[in-house]
Amino acid sequence: MSGDGSWRRVSREGRRFLRGRPRPLRRLALWSLLESAHTFLGGYAVARALDDGFLAGRTGTGIGWLAVAAAGALLGALALRGVFGGLADLVEPLRDALVRRAVHRAIERAVADPGRAGDPGAVSRLTQQTEMARDSFAGLVLIARSFVFTALGALLGLAALDPVLLPLVVPALLLGTVAFLATLRPMARVQRAALDADEALAARTGELAAGLRDVVACGGGASAGARVERLVAAQERLTGRLARWAALRTLSLGVAGRLPVVVLLAATPWLLGRGVSAGAVAGALTYLLQSLLPALDALMTAVGAAGTRLLVVLDRFCDPEPAGTGAGTGAGTHTRTEAGTARTTPVPAQPAQAASAPASAPASASAPAVELHRVRFAYGPRAHPVIDGLDLVVGTGEHLAVVGPSGIGKSTLTALIAGLLPPGRGTVRVAGAPARGARGTAPAAPTCAGRCCPSRRTSSPARSART
């Protein structure tokens, strides 16, 4: 993963997305201010309940301040209810935009290069990755917003209790946070590699499923399975690396979440000696334990898991690959046939090769480009023929797309025309001359190279027809 490049791409798209939705953002901010008030009242009311109430012998006053803290909790619940309404106005448009982009990119690539095999990764992006992005974005926005406004209320409360509390708490929080941020980039790299492996595995298994009959027929199951096993092993290794980085993230989380409390407790005698009240110290601990540290814990967990995952997934939707130029300047076309689907893509003619071709006999000058007469072929003396009684004439300059499911003889036909296989009966001529392969010899067993493996593509000239 190119960390800086990915961040620039995603942040640019993210800013554009958020700028177009000012009303949901304002709604989130307004409801979140109530959460800040809830946080502020939580610690401040505890401090006043101790200093002005219980420690001063005024129990009623202490209970009154605790009632204020309880009212703040109800205020926070009301704020959370409003926050979820604004969150939906951000999350669902994001998912819709990602789905549209995935579909648009898949169609654009197919139109730009019709001869190109379908992109199996498009299915993963359209289903799994869009849902992953929606869930990660929703969780990240919810938790990041909560941390920002909770921290605002807690820091204002610490300053209101006694400004000397801030230098004791803030540096310890920053130390743990910096240690945590140091794990984000390598963890994002591993996360992206895991997604690449997932798409590669999906693509490979899809290819094997499409050409399973050919793979079994040519005895290529072992070699085809070995490639899948390597991809599965790669996924396993990446999962282990993710687990190790998660352990380091948990360690930094412990530093950020526990060190401020330790520092505050260790400094309590010094604080009391400087005139800081016991209620202020208790209020500071309340801010740390009840508000600030849980919010920081949730933020680090969300950024470490959902944040890196969101960055990697959204980067896959940014800056689509330049569309290939399928049109050429010549008059020829190239026909690709794979897994039952044939597509034609114009390619440049090659005048240099045509000019250097040796002169043919007068008879071959007018001969068809390809001619098959009553051709029969089977992969064994007792096997059912793949091609039986085929007559086919393809004139010079004509092109044929052979379309059909796996196993109907597309690759076998190409191999016969190319001279890689001899016909069991009949004749195969190319430009008036017999195709290579002696007639009457035992046909060689098909190999995976170029015919059975669905990841390869087969080319064949012919008329626009279906067989």
Side-chain angles (χ1 to χ4, degrees):
M1 173 181 182
S2 175
D4 294 338
S6 296
W7 172 251
R8 284 195 298 270
R9 287 189 295 271
V10 173
S11 61
R12 181 177 62 247
E13 297 284 349
R15 287 192 299 270
R16 183 183 308 164
F17 174 79
L18 294 176
R19 278 198 301 266
R21 287 155 183 84
R23 291 185 62 185
L25 290 176
R26 285 196 298 267
R27 182 180 177 184
L28 278 175
L30 290 174
W31 282 110
S32 298
L33 284 174
L34 292 180
E35 192 167 344
S36 295
H38 157 236
T39 302
F40 179 85
L41 289 176
Y44 191 81
V46 168
R48 295 279 69 82
L50 287 175
D51 290 339
D52 300 338
F54 300 115
L55 294 179
R58 295 189 289 270
T59 305
T61 302
I63 293 176
W65 277 110
L66 292 181
V68 171
L74 294 176
L75 194 64
L78 179 64
L80 193 60
R81 180 179 179 274
V83 162
F84 273 101
L87 185 65
D89 293 337
L90 281 179
V91 171
E92 295 307 322
L94 174 69
R95 178 189 176 276
D96 295 343
L98 293 180
V99 169
R100 285 193 298 269
R101 181 167 294 193
V103 173
H104 176 75
R105 180 186 295 184
I107 295 176
E108 188 178 58
R109 292 177 66 180
V111 172
D113 188 359
R116 186 176 186 173
D119 181 12
V123 177
S124 177
R125 285 189 290 271
L126 185 60
T127 56
Q128 179 185 5
Q129 294 184 29
T130 53
E131 294 301 322
M132 187 186 301
R134 180 181 69 170
D135 294 343
S136 299
F137 180 68
L140 194 61
V141 169
L142 184 65
I143 293 172
R145 172 214 57 83
S146 177
F147 172 77
V148 169
F149 288 93
T150 297
L152 176 63
L155 295 177
L156 288 176
L158 288 172
L161 293 176
D162 199 312
V164 76
L165 295 170
L166 290 175
L168 295 175
V169 172
V170 173
L173 286 172
L174 291 178
L175 177 63
T177 303
V178 169
F180 166 77
L181 293 176
T183 67
L184 291 182
R185 182 173 295 183
M187 195 168 182
R189 280 197 295 265
V190 177
Q191 186 77 51
R192 176 160 189 163
L195 282 176
D196 289 338
D198 178 71
E199 288 191 357
L201 182 60
R204 186 58 187 165
T205 53
E207 291 170 353
L208 287 177
L212 186 59
R213 179 177 175 181
D214 290 339
V215 172
V216 174
C218 70
S223 60
R227 291 186 60 185
V228 176
E229 289 176 0
R230 286 195 294 271
L231 291 172
V232 172
Q235 275 197 323
E236 183 180 359
R237 289 193 301 271
L238 290 169
T239 301
R241 291 175 60 188
L242 278 175
R244 289 191 290 273
W245 281 112
L248 291 175
R249 185 194 66 202
T250 303
L251 179 62
S252 61
L253 191 64
V255 172
R258 301 297 176 262
L259 188 58
V261 177
V262 172
V263 171
L264 183 60
L265 291 175
T268 297
W270 177 79
L271 290 172
L272 295 176
R274 286 180 54 90
V276 177
S277 67
V281 174
L285 285 172
T286 302
Y287 282 130
L288 286 176
L289 297 176
Q290 297 295 324
S291 300
L292 196 55
L293 297 185
L296 181 63
D297 186 6
L299 178 67
M300 287 188 172
T301 302
V303 171
T308 54
R309 185 167 59 244
L310 181 64
L311 176 63
V312 171
V313 171
L314 290 182
D315 185 45
R316 307 179 85 80
F317 289 88
C318 295
D319 296 331
E321 298 177 2
T325 55
T329 57
T333 65
H334 184 71
T335 304
R336 290 177 175 178
T337 306
E338 180 177 4
T341 305
R343 305 177 179 91
T344 58
T345 303
V347 297
Q350 300 177 359
Q353 294 182 6
S356 61
S360 303
S364 64
S366 58
V370 174
E371 183 178 7
L372 284 77
H373 179 64
R374 300 191 60 79
V375 171
R376 185 181 192 275
F377 181 84
Y379 284 105
R382 298 182 183 276
H384 185 77
V386 180
I387 295 176
D388 192 9
L390 176 63
D391 291 317
L392 177 65
V393 177
V394 182
T396 303
E398 294 181 323
H399 306 277
L400 173 69
V402 182
V403 182
S406 179
I408 67 166
K410 303 183 300 295
S411 300
T412 302
L413 175 62
T414 303
L416 288 168
I417 295 173
L420 299 176
L421 294 176
R425 187 177 65 197
T427 58
V428 179
R429 292 181 174 273
V430 177
R436 293 178 58 188
R439 180 180 174 182
T441 59
T447 63
C448 284
R451 291 196 297 279
C452 289
C453 288
S455 59
R456 305 293 184 92
R457 291 169 182 169
T458 307
S459 302
S460 62
R463 280 185 303 259
S464 256
R466 300 173 71 93
T467 63

